């Protein structure tokens, strides 16, 4: 049993490589089931269990932190215990569901504890210590992987009874409270972006995006399209400031824009595969984004002070579909080239563009890769798996990852090429200030919509006056403004950040708030 537990914990490490390989879907049951069967000496049982669990969990999608269970551990532990005890796929499913839910809850505790390293990474950014950023990025991945491997090892070694005892031991109020705390965590990331992009001139557009999502139910993509229309209108109606000699075209000899080497760009491309290696509840993929941009930023900013500023701005909140993230990386590289050469381009415009693109791109990317390519690949592979065909996991990997890596490569280079030409053109046209303002409009509208759609919190409180019918407080809030609680929490978080309150303290406070308010029936 000791050897079997060790081998299955190593299979979990294989599944964790999804966080550093661009998310090839190695976490899925159709892949892990056969591996479990192989190491335990019953490959056919593993294939059947993997195919069965794949179909059972086909609707579970990893989008942000809204995941109901850890499918990879559910497959490894459920499938492993089923094979070891001579049971079938039905038994594996019975064990897998509570195990998946339990480990998803434990992951929340572990990520909160590990925020120390994320805070240290942020401090390293602020002083330009890129080597420390790199170390903590990988340390986070390894430490989290090892902790979870130990838990998987213990689950297999102790057996079904011990796992079920742990599931039964955890009070429901803790689980519910953690769900509440997790649902309001995105407010921290949006608050960080608000403090960076917000200005009085364009601040109203944040509320426009929020209201469009709250009252009309408009998606993030829809808000982004409307925001782009507002930005275009603003572009043509805002008058450029006259500057002496503005009519004269600036020659390339007087303006030497730094260009990134192929080596630096390839470094960004390959590091972008590790976008989720240091995923956390503070800035989601932001730390991974910062890590991936280091080759480009080091080449563009030899001065440590400038490098520190660049690292810090790319450490802000970021969250999109990993498979299409290179589109934004390419644009970021092109914009950083211009910022390093042109003092007139506001550095905050990079974050405005990232904020404007990440939401709509996530909607498109999740629909394509999570909702289309994954479903097609899983359906074909599961059909083979139910027949005991050993090719099932390979078919799944090929069908899913062929479009994945084609998109990843194409989007990186096309977006960089487009961004370089576009930025060079607008500089010559003397419209950089107007364009920065327009990016801010678009970014704030998308952040407003994402505040409504991603910060999920409500109250079950009911009030009653005299003989009147009981009134649900949430219904009253919805009549005033749907999403009022998420809006208030996001702005309260932004205020705390302005007051220099430690982000780790804010995060811990959110979990405590979630547990306490859930216990007393407020949230």
């Amino acid at each position: 049993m000791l050897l079997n537990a060790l081998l299955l914990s190593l299979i979990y490490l294989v599944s964790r490589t999804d966080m550093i390989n661009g998310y090839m879907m190695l976490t899925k049951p159709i892949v892990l089931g056969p591996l479990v069967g192989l190491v335990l000496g019953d490959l056919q049982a593993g294939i059947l269990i993997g195919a069965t669990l794949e179909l059972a969990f086909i609707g579970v999608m990893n989008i942000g932190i809204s995941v109901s269970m850890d499918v990879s551990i559910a497959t490894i532990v459920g499938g492993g215990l089923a094979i070891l005890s001579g049971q079938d796929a039905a038994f594996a499913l019975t064990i897998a569901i509570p195990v998946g839910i339990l480990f998803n809850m434990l992951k929340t505790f572990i990520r909160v504890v590990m925020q120390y390293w994320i805070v240290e990474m942020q401090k390293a950014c602020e002083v330009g210590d890129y080597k420390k950023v790199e170390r903590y990025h990988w340390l986070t991945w390894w430490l989290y992987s090892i902790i979870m491997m130990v838990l998987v090892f213990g689950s297999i070694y102790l057996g079904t009874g011990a796992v079920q005892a742990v599931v039964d031991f955890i009070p429901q109020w803790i689980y519910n409270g953690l769900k509440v705390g997790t649902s309001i965590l995105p407010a921290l990331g949006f608050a960080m972006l608000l403090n960076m992009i917000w200005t009085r001139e364009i601040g109203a557009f944040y509320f426009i995006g929020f209201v469009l999502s709250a009252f009309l139910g408009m998606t993030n993509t829809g808000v982004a399209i409307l925001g782009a229309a507002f930005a275009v209108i603003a572009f043509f109606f805002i008058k450029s400031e006259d500057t002496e000699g503005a009519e004269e075209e600036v020659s390339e000899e007087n303006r030497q824009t730094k260009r990134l080497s192929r080596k630096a760009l390839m470094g960004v491309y390959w590091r972008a595969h590790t976008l989720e290696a240091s995923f956390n509840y503070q800035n989601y993929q932001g730390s991974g984004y910062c890590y991936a941009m280091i080759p480009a930023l080091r080449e563009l900013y030899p001065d440590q002070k400038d490098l520190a500023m660049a690292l810090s701005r790319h450490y802000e909140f970021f969250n999109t579909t990993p498979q299409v993230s290179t589109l934004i990386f390419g644009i970021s590289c092109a914009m950083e080239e211009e910022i390093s050469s042109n003092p007139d381009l506001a550095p905050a415009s990079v974050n405005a563009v990232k904020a404007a693109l990440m939401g709509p791109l996530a909607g498109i990317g999740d629909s394509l890769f999570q909702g289309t390519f994954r479903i097609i690949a899983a359906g074909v592979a599961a059909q083979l798996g139910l027949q005991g065909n050993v090719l099932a996991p390979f078919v799944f990997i090929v069908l899913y990852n062929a479009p994945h890596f084609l998109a990843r490569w194409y989007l990186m280079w096309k977006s960089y090429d487009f961004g370089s030409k576009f930025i060079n053109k607008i500089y010559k046209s003397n419209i950089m200030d107007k364009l920065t303002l327009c990016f801010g409009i678009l970014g704030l509208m998308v952040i407003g919509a994402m505040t409504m759609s991603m910060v999920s919190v409500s109250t079950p409180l009911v009030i009653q006056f005299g003989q009147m019918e009981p009134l649900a407080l949430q219904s009253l809030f919805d009549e005033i403004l749907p999403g009022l609680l998420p809006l208030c929490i996001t702005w309260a978080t932004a205020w705390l950040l302005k007051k220099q309150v430690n982000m780790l303290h804010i995060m811990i406070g959110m979990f405590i708030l979630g547990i306490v308010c859930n216990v007393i029936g407020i949230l």
Side-chain angles (χ1 to χ4, degrees):
M1 182 62 77
L2 182 65
L3 179 60
N4 289 332
L6 179 60
L7 290 173
L8 291 178
S9 66
L10 289 175
I11 289 178
Y12 175 74
L13 184 61
V14 172
S15 75
R16 277 286 295 166
T17 61
D18 257 8
M19 305 299 107
I20 58 175
N21 64 26
Y23 205 54
M24 293 173 59
M25 293 289 175
L26 302 184
T27 56
K28 297 305 174 185
I30 194 68
V31 177
L32 296 178
L35 286 177
V36 170
L38 181 65
V39 301
L40 295 182
D42 195 342
L43 178 59
Q44 281 296 305
I47 293 172
L48 290 171
I49 288 172
T52 302
L53 295 183
E54 183 67 42
L55 292 174
F57 298 145
I58 201 167
V60 178
M61 295 191 290
N62 298 325
I63 300 175
I65 55 176
S66 58
V67 185
S68 58
M69 67 169 61
D70 190 308
V71 172
S72 58
I73 293 182
T75 302
I76 295 168
V77 176
L81 291 176
I83 293 175
L84 288 170
S85 58
Q87 301 292 330
D88 58 8
F91 178 84
L93 183 61
T94 303
I95 298 298
I97 292 175
V99 166
I101 294 173
L102 169 64
F103 273 87
N104 196 55
M105 193 187 334
L106 292 174
K107 283 162 59 176
T108 302
F109 283 112
I110 295 168
R111 289 194 191 279
V112 171
V113 172
M114 291 181 60
Q115 280 302 124
Y116 169 79
W117 284 271
I118 303 301
V119 173
E120 289 298 306
M121 195 185 299
Q122 182 184 14
K123 292 178 181 178
C125 290
E126 292 171 353
V127 297
D129 189 350
Y130 71 89
K131 290 185 178 180
K132 194 172 184 179
V133 173
E134 293 172 335
R135 286 197 301 270
Y136 276 109
H137 177 73
W138 284 103
L139 176 63
T140 302
W141 183 81
W142 272 110
L143 188 58
Y144 180 88
S145 299
I146 290 171
I147 292 172
M148 298 303 288
M149 284 174 67
V150 170
L151 294 174
V152 170
F153 176 89
S155 300
I156 298 296
Y157 186 73
L158 296 175
T160 308
V163 172
Q164 191 61 49
V166 173
V167 173
D168 295 337
F169 175 77
I170 297 177
Q172 187 66 29
W173 60 269
I174 290 183
Y175 178 65
N176 292 337
L178 284 174
K179 286 179 65 177
V180 173
T182 303
S183 68
I184 62 179
L185 278 173
L188 178 58
F190 299 140
M192 293 167 65
L193 286 173
L194 272 176
N195 286 343
M196 174 165 285
I197 301 175
W198 177 278
T199 65
R200 284 185 294 178
E201 291 80 8
I202 60 175
F205 287 95
Y206 169 83
F207 296 102
I208 292 175
F210 183 88
V211 168
L212 288 172
S213 179
F215 281 104
L216 301 182
M218 193 174 288
T219 64
N220 294 337
T221 303
V223 172
I225 293 171
L226 190 58
F230 280 133
V232 170
I233 293 170
F235 178 83
F236 286 107
F237 278 87
I238 296 173
K239 186 177 180 181
S240 299
E241 293 184 7
D242 293 329
T243 57
E244 187 176 351
E247 298 82 5
E248 299 179 8
E249 185 176 318
V250 181
S251 66
E252 285 297 319
E253 290 74 19
N254 295 330
R255 172 181 170 268
Q256 294 295 327
T257 301
K258 297 178 183 177
R259 292 295 177 217
L260 288 167
S261 66
R262 177 82 173 183
K263 179 181 178 181
L265 290 169
M266 284 298 295
V268 173
Y269 171 77
W270 286 114
R271 287 182 178 221
H273 288 72
T274 72
L275 180 63
E276 296 202 312
S278 53
F279 182 91
N280 61 88
Y281 290 148
Q282 177 178 314
N283 61 9
Y284 281 39
Q285 300 165 343
S287 53
Y289 200 98
C290 177
Y291 167 80
M293 287 294 295
I294 286 176
L297 300 180
R298 283 185 61 202
E299 192 168 279
L300 294 172
Y301 302 103
D303 181 78
Q304 189 169 5
K305 183 179 178 181
D306 293 335
L307 178 60
M309 294 174 63
L311 289 170
S312 295
R313 64 175 165 263
H314 284 290
Y315 189 79
E316 300 295 338
F317 178 90
F318 184 81
N319 191 46
T320 198
T321 305
Q323 293 85 346
V324 294
S325 62
T326 49
L327 183 147
I328 303 179
F329 277 109
I331 294 174
S332 291
C333 288
M335 294 190 72
E336 287 295 347
E337 283 181 342
E338 191 63 39
I339 290 170
S340 66
S341 308
N342 175 18
D344 295 330
L345 180 59
S349 61
V350 179
N351 287 89
V353 171
K354 287 165 63 178
L357 291 177
M358 64 183 178
L361 192 62
I364 296 170
D366 286 337
S367 296
L368 281 175
F369 288 93
Q370 291 273 15
T372 303
F373 296 139
R374 180 181 69 89
I375 300 299
I376 292 172
V380 173
Q383 191 69 29
L384 292 173
L386 292 175
Q387 299 169 6
N389 194 321
V390 72
L391 293 177
F394 300 102
V395 169
F396 174 79
I397 291 172
V398 171
L399 285 180
Y400 179 80
N401 286 293
H404 164 203
F405 286 111
L406 283 173
R408 190 176 275 276
W409 178 265
Y410 181 82
L411 291 173
M412 175 71 189
W413 301 107
K414 283 298 180 181
S415 63
Y416 169 72
D417 184 55
F418 169 79
S420 297
K421 293 177 181 177
F422 179 68
I423 294 170
N424 185 55
K425 185 175 181 180
I426 62 174
Y427 181 87
K428 290 181 178 181
S429 304
N430 194 38
I431 56 174
M432 189 61 72
D433 289 339
K434 289 205 303 181
L435 199 67
T436 300
L437 189 70
C438 293
F439 282 147
I441 290 172
L442 177 56
L444 282 174
M445 284 190 65
V446 173
I447 294 170
M450 291 176 72
T451 300
M452 174 62 196
S453 61
M454 292 185 65
V455 183
S456 176
V457 61
S458 60
T459 177
L461 284 177
V462 175
I463 56 177
Q464 186 170 11
F465 299 101
Q467 301 300 316
M468 296 176 61
E469 294 228 355
L471 174 64
L473 197 57
Q474 185 61 48
S475 299
L476 180 61
F477 288 157
D478 289 341
E479 288 183 11
I480 299 171
L481 176 63
L484 180 60
L485 287 179
L487 182 65
C488 292
I489 290 173
T490 301
W491 276 88
T493 306
W495 180 80
L496 290 173
L497 289 174
K498 281 189 175 181
K499 295 297 182 180
Q500 305 298 316
V501 177
N502 187 286
M503 279 184 284
L504 181 58
H505 295 163
I506 294 175
M507 185 177 304
I508 293 173
M510 285 180 170
F511 278 106
I512 294 174
L513 178 70
I515 293 173
V516 172
C517 290
N518 181 259
V519 169
I520 63 180
I522 295 178
L523 296 177

